[in-house]
Amino acid sequence: MATLSTTEQLGQSPRAPREIEVPASTAWPFLLALGAALLFAGLVTSASVSCLGALLAVAGSVGWFREVLPREHEEAVPVLPEDIRLITDRRVVERLPVLPDQLRAWLPVHSYPISAGVKGGLAGSVAMAVLACTYGVLKAGSVWYPINLLAAVAYRESSRLGPAQLYSFHADAFAIAFVLHGVVSIFVGLLYGAMLPMFPRRPIVLGGLIAPALWSGLLYTILGLLNPLLASRIDWLWFMASQVAFGIVAGLVVVRQPSFPTRENVSFVLRAGIEAPGTMPPRESGENH
Amino acid sequence: MTAVTTSFPNAATEWRLPSRGKVAMAGLIIAESAIFTIFVVAYLFYLGKSIAGPTPREVLETPIFYTICLLSSSLTIHLAAKSLERDYGRLFLGLWLLTIALGGLFLYGTAQEWHRLIYERGLTISTNLFGTTYYSLVGLHAFHVTVGLIMLLVVAIFGFMGRVGVSQSDRVAVLSMYWHFVDAVWVVVFTVVYVLGR
Amino acid sequence: MTPAPAWVVRHGKLINEIRECWSSLQLGAVKTRACLFGSRLALHSIEFRAGRIAAPDLQQRIKERLRTLVMAGVSEVKNGRREMSMLRMKSPTMRILAQTILLLFWSALAGWASEANGPSSHGTNIFAPESTPAKSIADLSVFVLAITGIIFVVVFTLILYALVKFRARATDGGREPAQVYGSTQIELAWTIIPILIVVVLFLATARVIHAVQDAPEPAGAVQVTAIGHQYWWEFRYPRLGIVTANELHIPVSDPGHPTPTFLQLLSADTDHSFWVPELAGKTDLIPNHPNRMWMDPQRTGIFLGQCAQYCGVQHAKMLLHVSVDGPEDFAAWVRAQQKPAVEDAGAIAGRRVFERNACMNCHRVDGTSADGHFGPDLTHLMSRATIAAGAAENTHDNLRLWIQDPSAIKPGSLMPAMKLSDPDLDAVVSYMETLN
Amino acid sequence: MASDAITVPVGQIEARPWVDELHQWLTTVDHKRLGILYMFSALLFLVIGGVEALIIRIQLMHSHNNFVSPEVFNRMFTMHGTTMIFFVAMPVLFGFANYLIPLMIGARDMAFPRLNAFSFWLSFLGGLLLYFSFLGGSGLYGAGNAPDVGWWAYAPLGARAFSPGHSSDYWTLSLLVSGFGSIGTAINIIATVLCMRCPGMKLSRMPLLAWLNLVMGGMVLIAITPLSAAQIMLLIDRYLGGHFFDTQAGGSAVLWMHFFWIFGHPEVYILVIPAFAFLSEIIPVFSRKPIFGYPVMVAATVAIGLVSTSVWAHHMFTIGMNSYANSFFAITTMAVGVPTGIKIFNWIGTMWGGKIQFKVPMLFCIGFLFQFLIAGLTGIIQSCVPFDWQLSLSYFVVAHFHYVIVGGILFAIFGAFYYWYPKMSGRMLSERLGKWHFWLFLIGFHLTFDVMHIPGLLGMPRRIYTYEPGRGWDTLNFIITIGAFIQAIAILVFVANLIISYFKGARAGNDPWDAWTLEWSISSPPPAYNFATVPTVASRRPLWDLKHPKDPDSRYE
């Protein structure tokens, strides 16, 4: 067991001073606080209490002022010898099997940049939209049919559309469906980008099968509440197919992005996928090593 | 086991931290801004909701002159603080007194307006919602001007005693931050009460 | 406690039977739950309620049946306790713990029993909705509870797993674990998944908000203005010319021909909140801030509620009583309420006392000089089952006590003690009793 | 003189007459002593507020109980709420912040030691002023009344017309006074964290406790001040005849609600963020791992701080806002759940793969995790506006926020007491009594607040002093009351532990937990100057670097 002294360990200079100046005790802040409290208390008791409070407050302020001006009043406290033990019994630190040479780790060891997820999400959204619109054309004879149905999730007017109007173009419904589809797709794409490195062997199984199945199952249970219009008209087979298309395309796009090691705490620009030269300053080796 | 004697590498060759006076004053200003925001919101919310008169349009007159006084005092206090930094003691004192005079003039303007409203127009804090919100908001600002003036006066007195030198310039700079804040708030109050409110 | 003991199953059947029995009585599910605990107190309160059933023989029969059922319940619970104690608790701490668990289990079961109680309920259970707004809220609630329940189970399991799997063991021998700083990937995942859940929850919520709050008022709707006063409710029917207090009468709404009731909510003094859980969510009554709510009860009966926003000393006894009437009953009630006050020659002395004293400053009786608006309208006092905003039943003795010393029934009420002489008091009470 | 003193061992105080001792405490500007003063005053008010809670619970034990009158009951819940929030939770958290921040960032004191003393005394005297209302409430000595308008004093109930006398003025004034104290402390904390760090302690190397308290300080500045402003308006109404909240003259009751909750909701986060800070220090040490995802933890805290300023009206879903406002506040409220969830997951991540030691501080943190999870989920439940139309103002809400404040914040505070008491006193708290305290409190807590959700679902509104029999609330309320008493016993065990361990506890040494932050590198209790030489740090865990010189953190950050 070793006994260490903080003065050696934590300080720059091994010699501690014999005395240290600390702010001197003073009653003025207390007096000022008491004065202020009494000043207010006078409102509920009697004016004389307020007067006393004002008096104390003025005295306290003046006293405090003189305490810090022109120089703050300090008193010297002698430095006492301390018996400091800074040791640990746990001297061995386990290593992660994936990183036997590393003590600290960010997991997983390799990861895709955030932009990969965004790209995957956008690609998947296109694939899904294409399939959904194909469905619209084939089954309902109108590209706008699935779009109007989707908009009804968030848009009151769409959910009131009559059967005939469902097949025609509505700019507002289109805008809402577009934004909704895009935003959710980007988020789900991000999720894929995040999750795929955790299942390194079969990214497509997760993206193309498991996730769409879970997602569709979840939607199946709650769609009635979320979007009664869509729930009443949905074709689950096509719906599942679009989900799978999204998953496979998004998964493929993400996997094809270059990954980078997370060993070093990578800067935000690199993680965000911005790879212009000069965005990553070289690590200052002098500071940390 | 043996004693370990490794010590830290010299991590910080240059260790600079913000001035605590300025940080604290910034904190105070944030807090005060929140208070003023609430009063401004109340003022705007109650615009035109008074059940009985008088209305702002009937009784308020825009205090252009006094506003100019207060705003220009921001400039003078800035110059005063700068000149103290460069150790121009007399210039500092002169500009400082000018600031006090301008602030005092503004306060006189407020007092005069209140006097006119109360005794000529019969608008008091309990007359209607306009009275309540008007006197509260303008009064809150006037209170801050008063506190600022008291502090400026204390510095001026010490200045005459020759106790304010370059060594105090940081403290004076912090005080001038407060004064700038009081001025900035007046811009908001002025806009709300005399421009939007009428 | 994984496999439910036999007595719990038996007891469950018993609950069902009690519940059915109560359905025939059309009394609150809360009673059922009271029975569950096998408490004598609950039994008394059941008998009290059963006493108010009109037909004496039916009353007697139900009473008897209930008594046997409740007693059976009590003995079941006792048996159960014996069974539990046979599990040979080693320490008293364990026993206390087991009993605590049992108690919690019972309360959970009780909550469930009343939730599942369905059509006969007239209590204040938010999971027994009888009107469209309350129903859509209950549907949303189940959805939200399911989602949060899943989140709870998942995260709970994660924590528990981490605690068990990664506990320090004696065999660790003073080694530090691998030092992991974090993981951008997984943090991204557990940021995005909650965001998606939030989106789903929000869409569902916004839909119900809109459906309940922005519902258009149909032409046939009944309009009521509800005015909150300190510790009582005033109800005005502007189209029908009726003013009454504390007991709101509204027609039942047939889904085929809906006759919803739209309430305009006002306050005469402080903030109040109108809350009849089985008919709708609560909405505040705020001075200078008129609010609106609606309900379309689909079953007749009496629904309870009370003021939910703290409004002063007697906030607790500002009870609400909504009587949902069939179309004929409602029409009859409206006709009765529209009549002027009954003039009974026998009660003329009481009426004089009423008009001579301060009563008339606060109360109104149609057709007399009493035209106060500070207290409830008394024109048809006898048509109401309770007085003092539901704090007491409308009986001779209670009326007498209320006039003589309101604080005996409702301390802090704004009704002053009238300090009448005994003959005057009797006269006023008998006058009141003619106002039907 | 110096040579005499130098032989006195640290922690041993010379016998002084008590007047001297008292004078020392009244005039001290030492952040450690002020921290302890904060905690003492908080414990004092905790006991008082606890007794009020028990009175409330006895009264509600069964229907038509006559233990206290409605007037007394209303005073009790008003005082209980006000006391617990303003004079227990905030002071004790400020106390820990005061005590710990300078030690953890390697400073010798707070940025403004005298302001620190001033702020403490203002807060404390504010509390005394509030309790003086029991004697002087109506302005007539000896016939006093405490405030009885609820801790949010909704207009117009708090106006002169409905609350004559001075009782509500006591409420207003004491909150105003203590609010100024809080603002002073917040400014001090911010200035300390930003301006007093030791060399090498960059913002990215600060212990999370310092970071989270920095955010808390910022929130105090923008959240307490609206309350102060609203209190000033109320005073103008009550004393000068203003009409801000006078509904007869066109004033708005709703405006008061907005102002109150613009303060009231961030207040919850002001309380819970320091609790998060305790967890972020304690869980790593007892899991033997660094905090998982430090930058994300900081970002999530800042996000909570920002988002929580735009959620206030979720306390007002029943007041009849239009459906767009309701939807807006629903989504912002749900959004707060995201960063909060991140924090919970990151704590799990910290424990994952660690070697968790179940010492008492860790037990309380684990309790926090479970209970805060439930509290968060019931919060999400209530952010679904229509559901909240049923739950708001009912006992469900009461159960929910007690889950946050007791099950969350108070558990974290207990954990912090067990963790840092050795540093403050030089003695360990008894583990055995600590475990009694933990389990009793846990059982009492769950008995009370789990069950309390149910009467809310069964339609029981809050703040009623009695209820009708036969509504199905009796048995539940009885169980709740039993739980409350078990909690009270647990608190007594805790206080006994504090006192007994102070005299008889095992000596702690400077580093009893084998921890990694700077406060463990100096003796317990620390000397007046904290650090004989100001330390220099190169990583987030300076003591890890010292203990593992071959594998310092500084190589990786």
Side-chain angles (χ1 to χ4, degrees):
Chain A
M1 291 270 174
T3 309
L4 304 175
S5 143
T6 38
T7 48
E8 276 173 344
Q9 288 302 318
L10 292 163
Q12 286 172 287
S13 116
R15 277 162 293 137
R18 291 179 60 91
E19 281 189 341
I20 291 174
E21 306 262 299
V22 298
S25 293
T26 166
W28 297 117
F30 170 72
L31 219 59
L32 180 56
L34 185 65
L38 287 181
L39 195 65
F40 283 107
L43 283 174
V44 278
T45 48
S46 90
S48 53
V49 175
S50 283
C51 292
L52 177 64
L55 216 65
L56 285 178
V58 170
S61 311
V62 172
W64 189 342
F65 201 78
R66 293 168 58 93
E67 187 79 17
V68 292
L69 285 170
R71 282 203 73 246
E72 292 188 21
H73 186 193
E74 290 183 327
E75 61 193 8
V77 177
V79 173
L80 306 171
E82 295 180 59
D83 176 27
I84 304 292
R85 290 169 161 267
L86 282 179
I87 39 152
T88 179
D89 295 336
R90 307 175 183 84
R91 299 179 63 84
V92 183
V93 183
E94 292 170 2
R95 310 288 157 125
L96 286 176
V98 287
L99 286 170
D101 56 330
Q102 287 284 310
L103 184 65
R104 314 289 181 289
W106 284 81
L107 295 175
V109 183
H110 282 270
S111 132
Y112 300 109
I114 293 168
S115 62
V118 178
K119 285 177 197 163
L122 289 176
S125 78
V126 172
M128 191 175 175
V130 167
L131 214 59
C133 290
T134 315
Y135 158 74
V137 173
L138 289 182
K139 293 276 171 169
S142 163
V143 180
W144 308 117
Y145 176 66
I147 294 171
N148 287 330
L149 287 182
L150 177 62
V153 175
Y155 191 46
R156 166 158 48 119
E157 297 304 322
S158 302
S159 53
R160 294 205 186 125
L161 291 178
Q165 293 162 304
L166 267 177
Y167 302 102
S168 54
F169 173 72
H170 300 277
D172 41 3
F174 178 75
I176 281 169
F178 187 81
V179 171
L180 206 68
H181 182 60
V183 168
V184 174
S185 295
I186 287 173
F187 271 122
V188 176
L190 272 175
L191 201 56
Y192 280 11
M195 300 300 289
L196 287 179
M198 311 251 172
F199 306 88
R201 288 198 196 135
R202 293 181 180 77
I204 308 302
V205 175
L206 172 77
L209 227 61
I210 300 174
L214 285 176
W215 181 245
S216 304
L218 180 72
L219 279 179
Y220 182 74
T221 53
I222 63 174
L223 201 63
L225 197 75
L226 213 54
N227 189 342
L229 183 69
L230 182 55
S232 63
R233 292 166 171 268
I234 195 163
D235 182 334
W236 282 104
L237 197 70
W238 277 88
F239 185 79
M240 279 290 287
S242 335
Q243 302 290 342
V244 171
F246 177 95
I248 289 177
V249 172
L252 279 177
V253 170
V254 170
V255 174
R256 293 169 79 91
Q257 300 291 317
S259 64
F260 61 81
T262 54
R263 181 175 305 182
E264 302 277 313
N265 198 353
V266 185
S267 75
F268 176 76
V269 274
L270 191 62
R271 256 185 269 159
I274 305 164
E275 286 164 65
T279 47
M280 255 284 281
R283 279 183 80 75
E284 297 162 35
S285 53
E287 191 182 319
N288 286 333
H289 291 277
Chain B
M1 286 179 226
T2 51
V4 186
T5 51
T6 331
S7 72
F8 288 115
N10 194 355
T13 43
E14 200 178 329
W15 188 240
R16 288 182 149 277
L17 290 167
S19 137
R20 59 184 179 157
K22 283 190 178 150
V23 168
M25 184 48 78
L28 185 70
I29 287 174
I30 292 171
E32 295 272 22
S33 311
I35 293 187
F36 273 104
T37 308
I38 294 294
F39 274 87
V40 166
V41 166
Y43 190 90
L44 290 173
F45 181 82
Y46 283 132
L47 267 184
K49 294 221 169 86
S50 297
I51 289 172
T55 65
R57 189 179 286 278
E58 287 164 13
V59 293
L60 283 188
E61 286 166 16
T62 313
I64 299 280
F65 171 68
Y66 298 114
T67 302
I68 291 170
C69 285
L70 190 66
L71 295 187
S72 50
S73 75
S74 230
L75 184 68
T76 57
I77 199 169
H78 176 74
L79 293 175
K82 281 281 169 229
S83 47
L84 185 66
E85 240 171 68
R86 293 183 194 131
D87 204 9
Y88 303 146
R90 293 198 161 270
L91 184 60
F92 158 73
L93 214 55
L95 284 166
W96 199 258
L97 288 176
L98 187 59
T99 309
I100 294 175
L102 288 169
L105 210 55
F106 172 80
L107 215 52
Y108 169 76
T110 306
Q112 205 192 27
E113 184 178 25
W114 283 26
H115 187 272
R116 185 178 61 80
L117 287 175
I118 294 171
Y119 293 101
E120 292 173 21
R121 299 304 190 120
L123 178 77
T124 67
I125 197 163
S126 58
T127 305
N128 58 10
L129 274 171
F130 164 58
T132 304
T133 50
Y134 166 79
Y135 284 108
S136 308
L137 180 56
V138 175
L140 188 69
H141 180 259
F143 171 75
H144 281 82
V145 176
T146 313
V147 170
L149 276 181
I150 290 171
M151 292 195 289
L152 294 185
L153 271 173
V154 170
V155 174
I157 291 166
F158 278 91
F160 275 116
M161 289 159 67
R163 306 268 292 267
V164 181
V166 191
S167 56
Q168 305 291 337
S169 68
D170 278 352
R171 285 179 165 138
V172 168
V174 169
L175 191 51
S176 81
M177 270 173 79
Y178 174 81
W179 192 256
H180 290 315
F181 163 70
V182 169
D183 284 4
V185 167
W186 179 250
V187 176
V188 174
V189 172
F190 181 85
T191 316
V192 165
V193 174
Y194 297 99
V195 181
L196 298 177
R198 291 212 296 166
Chain C
M1 293 206 16
T2 15
W7 64 275
V8 173
V9 177
R10 283 201 307 277
H11 199 78
K13 286 181 185 154
L14 237 133
I15 299 164
N16 278 332
E17 213 174 324
I18 298 177
R19 207 160 59 210
E20 275 158 27
C21 188
W22 277 111
S23 316
S24 65
L25 263 175
Q26 298 221 330
L27 284 174
V30 281
K31 297 299 164 317
T32 322
R33 205 178 53 259
C35 300
L36 270 175
F37 294 102
S39 100
R40 297 264 168 184
L41 201 73
L43 198 61
H44 287 311
S45 97
I46 289 162
E47 283 173 347
F48 168 74
R49 280 307 186 100
R52 295 180 58 193
I53 303 293
D57 54 330
L58 176 69
Q59 183 186 332
Q60 197 54 40
R61 245 187 16 248
I62 290 169
K63 250 193 208 172
E64 282 309 309
R65 179 74 189 123
L66 271 171
R67 184 180 289 276
T68 49
L69 280 173
V70 170
M71 281 313 173
V74 173
S75 66
E76 279 294 335
V77 175
K78 276 184 189 151
N79 289 342
R81 290 222 183 96
R82 214 167 298 133
E83 253 177 72
M84 284 303 283
S85 64
M86 277 190 290
L87 294 175
R88 267 197 252 150
M89 299 294 156
K90 276 180 188 152
S91 68
T93 332
M94 279 300 288
R95 201 159 58 229
I96 293 169
L97 208 67
Q99 280 173 1
T100 313
I101 292 169
L102 191 70
L103 213 55
L104 286 176
F105 169 74
W106 275 121
S107 51
L109 193 68
W112 165 80
S114 55
E115 279 163 33
N117 194 270
S120 71
S121 163
H122 285 246
T124 49
N125 182 352
I126 68 167
F127 290 112
E130 289 295 349
S131 148
T132 308
K135 269 181 190 151
S136 38
I137 291 174
D139 290 347
L140 177 72
S141 312
V142 171
F143 170 65
V144 175
L145 285 174
I147 288 194
T148 48
I150 293 167
I151 299 173
F152 174 74
V153 170
V154 169
V155 182
F156 192 93
T157 319
L158 273 179
I159 301 177
L160 215 59
Y161 179 79
L163 290 178
V164 175
K165 176 87 198 279
F166 302 111
R167 66 185 190 278
R169 293 177 175 84
T171 53
D172 285 340
R175 286 141 58 96
E176 299 279 24
Q179 305 289 302
V180 176
Y181 265 29
S183 159
T184 315
Q185 301 302 318
I186 196 159
E187 285 168 56
L188 203 60
W190 64 47
T191 311
I192 294 168
I193 295 173
I195 290 179
L196 290 175
I197 295 176
V198 161
V199 169
V200 168
L201 275 179
F202 172 69
L203 290 175
T205 301
R207 184 171 294 281
V208 180
I209 293 178
H210 168 67
V212 173
Q213 216 177 344
D214 301 339
E217 186 174 333
V222 176
Q223 287 183 341
V224 181
T225 304
I227 304 166
H229 293 260
Q230 271 188 323
Y231 330 133
W232 65 279
W233 305 90
E234 178 177 350
F235 297 114
R236 294 172 169 268
Y237 297 67
R239 285 190 190 160
L240 304 172
I242 296 173
V243 180
T244 180
N246 297 327
E247 293 175 14
L248 176 66
H249 283 256
I250 58 177
V252 73
S253 178
D254 174 12
H257 307 276
T259 45
T261 304
F262 275 72
L263 289 144
Q264 161 104 342
L265 303 173
L266 307 173
S267 167
D269 35 51
T270 61
D271 302 335
H272 305 275
S273 194
F274 187 99
W275 189 26
V276 182
E278 297 186 357
L279 297 184
K282 63 182 78 59
T283 310
D284 289 4
L285 298 83
I286 302 167
N288 273 357
H289 183 92
N291 274 334
R292 188 188 86 134
M293 68 185 287
W294 64 282
M295 49 184 85
D296 59 343
Q298 278 133 32
R299 225 167 41 75
T300 57
I302 287 166
F303 294 85
L304 299 178
Q306 68 190 85
C307 173
Q309 182 69 276
Y310 178 62
C311 57
V313 180
Q314 258 304 347
H315 165 58
K317 289 193 178 175
M318 187 166 166
L319 306 177
L320 254 171
H321 187 108
V322 178
S323 174
V324 177
D325 304 332
E328 295 82 23
D329 288 351
F330 183 70
W333 179 81
V334 167
R335 277 196 301 280
Q337 293 290 315
Q338 282 169 334
K339 285 187 199 139
V342 174
E343 303 253 2
D344 190 326
I348 197 76
R351 179 175 159 180
R352 283 223 190 85
V353 176
F354 184 80
E355 288 178 318
R356 255 202 335 268
N357 280 285
C359 309
M360 54 172 280
N361 293 338
C362 298
H363 293 285
R364 177 174 168 273
V365 176
D366 194 23
T368 70
S369 56
D371 195 25
H373 287 92
F374 199 64
D377 189 303
L378 299 180
T379 311
H380 300 286
L381 176 62
M382 281 302 120
S383 70
R384 308 205 274 263
T386 59
I387 56 170
E393 299 215 26
N394 191 357
T395 62
H396 176 85
D397 292 344
N398 280 345
L399 260 181
R400 200 172 188 284
L401 182 61
W402 177 244
I403 296 168
Q404 190 67 352
D405 181 16
S407 68
I409 292 175
K410 208 169 158 180
S413 145
L414 297 189
M415 165 114 172
M418 294 312 296
K419 302 218 165 45
L420 297 176
S421 65
D422 270 354
D424 279 2
L425 187 59
D426 287 330
V428 167
V429 172
S430 44
Y431 171 59
M432 292 287 119
E433 284 176 328
T434 63
L435 295 173
N436 50 25
Chain D
M1 190 189 84
S3 56
D4 288 344
I6 210 155
T7 54
V8 178
V10 184
Q12 188 178 321
I13 300 159
E14 292 171 72
R16 273 194 300 259
W18 66 270
V19 181
D20 257 23
E21 186 73 22
L22 187 70
H23 183 260
Q24 282 257 328
W25 284 97
L26 282 179
T27 59
T28 188
V29 294
D30 179 3
H31 73 98
K32 298 179 288 296
R33 286 186 160 225
L34 284 166
I36 287 168
L37 278 175
Y38 264 119
M39 290 176 212
F40 257 115
S41 83
L43 280 177
L44 175 75
F45 282 116
L46 174 74
V47 171
I48 296 172
V51 170
E52 286 159 356
L54 290 181
I55 293 172
I56 294 172
R57 281 324 313 173
I58 294 174
Q59 167 66 18
L60 289 175
M61 195 158 60
H62 57 83
S63 51
H64 284 180
N65 194 2
N66 283 322
F67 180 68
V68 291
S69 69
E71 290 88 349
V72 171
F73 183 87
N74 296 345
R75 275 174 213 138
M76 286 302 122
F77 73 67
T78 305
M79 293 296 271
H80 169 74
T82 311
T83 306
M84 289 302 195
I85 296 289
F86 293 99
F87 301 109
V88 178
M90 284 185 72
V92 77
L93 296 170
F94 281 162
F96 273 107
N98 246 307
Y99 198 100
L100 294 173
I101 289 175
L103 295 181
M104 289 181 116
I105 61 170
R108 290 217 165 112
D109 207 316
M110 297 285 277
F112 303 98
R114 294 165 201 85
L115 174 66
N116 201 9
F118 174 66
S119 304
F120 165 72
W121 289 111
L122 262 190
S123 308
F124 180 67
L125 292 170
L128 290 190
L129 179 59
L130 180 69
Y131 272 89
F132 185 69
S133 63
F134 275 111
L135 300 177
S138 348
L140 194 67
Y141 283 90
N145 279 328
D148 61 353
V149 288
W151 86 281
W152 57 48
Y154 267 7
L157 195 59
R160 272 257 184 265
F162 300 102
S163 174
H166 278 311
S167 62
S168 299
D169 294 327
Y170 275 97
W171 179 81
T172 309
L173 291 169
S174 67
L175 292 198
L176 199 56
V177 169
S178 69
F180 292 147
S182 304
I183 293 167
T185 306
I187 290 177
N188 213 340
I189 288 174
I190 292 173
T192 305
V193 172
L194 292 181
C195 313
M196 306 294 280
R197 283 166 287 144
C198 67
M201 178 77 73
K202 300 193 242 174
L203 283 179
S204 60
R205 283 181 192 153
M206 274 200 312
L208 274 178
L209 186 132
W211 250 114
L212 268 61
N213 274 293
L214 177 67
V215 175
M216 183 272 275
M219 292 186 66
V220 168
L221 289 189
I222 53 173
I224 299 282
T225 39
L227 178 71
S228 302
Q231 304 283 23
I232 293 170
M233 290 178 187
L234 187 59
L235 282 179
I236 289 174
D237 274 13
R238 291 183 63 97
Y239 280 94
L240 301 177
H243 305 295
F244 279 112
F245 310 115
D246 175 4
T247 47
Q248 303 296 320
S252 167
V254 175
L255 196 67
W256 170 268
M257 298 179 188
H258 279 291
F259 288 167
F260 186 87
W261 290 117
I262 285 172
F263 146 78
H265 195 79
E267 170 72 10
V268 179
Y269 288 92
I270 289 171
L271 299 181
V272 85
I273 284 179
F276 290 164
F278 298 151
L279 257 75
S280 305
E281 296 301 331
I282 296 173
I283 289 183
V285 169
F286 290 99
S287 307
R288 312 304 308 159
K289 280 177 64 202
I291 190 82
F292 192 89
Y294 174 98
V296 176
M297 286 298 252
V298 173
T301 313
V302 176
I304 291 174
L306 291 177
V307 181
S308 73
T309 53
S310 62
V311 302
W312 74 88
H314 68 214
H315 295 262
M316 301 156 56
F317 283 148
T318 64
I319 69 151
M321 291 185 290
N322 66 35
S323 53
Y324 295 100
N326 277 337
S327 306
F328 172 77
F329 286 107
I331 185 124
T332 52
T333 305
M334 289 172 183
V336 180
V338 175
T340 315
I342 292 173
K343 290 186 98 70
I344 290 187
F345 287 127
N346 274 5
W347 288 317
I348 300 175
T350 308
M351 298 193 298
W352 204 270
K355 297 185 190 305
I356 302 168
Q357 303 166 333
F358 294 98
K359 299 273 177 57
V360 177
M362 187 63 179
L363 288 182
F364 276 104
C365 289
I366 293 166
F368 174 101
L369 280 184
F370 282 122
Q371 282 135 210
F372 194 72
L373 169 67
I374 297 174
L377 291 175
T378 51
I380 292 288
I381 284 172
Q382 287 172 89
S383 70
C384 295
V385 182
F387 203 178
D388 190 64
W389 288 333
Q390 293 282 22
L391 299 177
S392 184
L393 302 171
S394 81
Y395 258 84
F396 190 91
V397 175
V398 180
H400 161 72
F401 70 71
H402 279 96
Y403 237 102
V404 176
I405 291 174
V406 180
I409 297 164
L410 191 59
F411 267 70
I413 289 172
F414 283 143
F417 265 110
Y418 281 90
Y419 184 68
W420 279 293
Y421 186 86
K423 181 50 61 186
M424 296 170 187
S425 68
R427 307 268 191 170
M428 304 295 285
L429 278 172
S430 151
E431 280 278 311
R432 201 167 58 90
L433 279 178
K435 287 202 163 123
W436 269 101
H437 169 207
F438 173 74
W439 287 109
L440 272 178
F441 199 77
L442 191 80
I443 291 169
F445 169 80
H446 284 282
L447 215 50
T448 302
F449 296 111
D450 291 7
V451 177
M452 199 183 269
H453 289 93
I454 304 173
L457 298 176
L458 295 176
M460 180 168 170
R462 64 194 289 200
R463 298 180 163 179
I464 52 172
Y465 79 97
T466 190
Y467 46 91
E468 301 294 305
R471 302 287 291 269
W473 304 339
D474 292 65
T475 317
L476 298 169
N477 273 298
F478 189 71
I479 298 171
I480 295 168
T481 302
I482 292 173
F485 275 93
I486 297 176
Q487 288 179 70
I489 294 167
I491 298 276
L492 289 184
V493 172
F494 171 61
V495 172
N497 197 356
L498 288 181
I499 296 169
I500 294 171
S501 299
Y502 184 76
F503 296 105
K504 299 201 168 160
R507 294 258 173 216
N510 63 303
D511 182 21
W513 309 116
D514 196 356
W516 301 309
T517 36
L518 279 179
E519 77 269 32
W520 305 106
S521 71
I522 50 176
S523 48
S524 315
Y529 45 80
N530 294 354
F531 298 93
T533 20
V534 173
T536 304
V537 297
S539 78
R540 280 173 213 147
R541 298 192 295 173
L543 267 58
W544 171 280
D545 294 0
L546 278 180
K547 290 169 181 173
H548 301 269
K550 299 222 170 85
D551 268 326
D553 270 4
S554 50
R555 205 171 282 166
Y556 301 89
E557 282 173 7

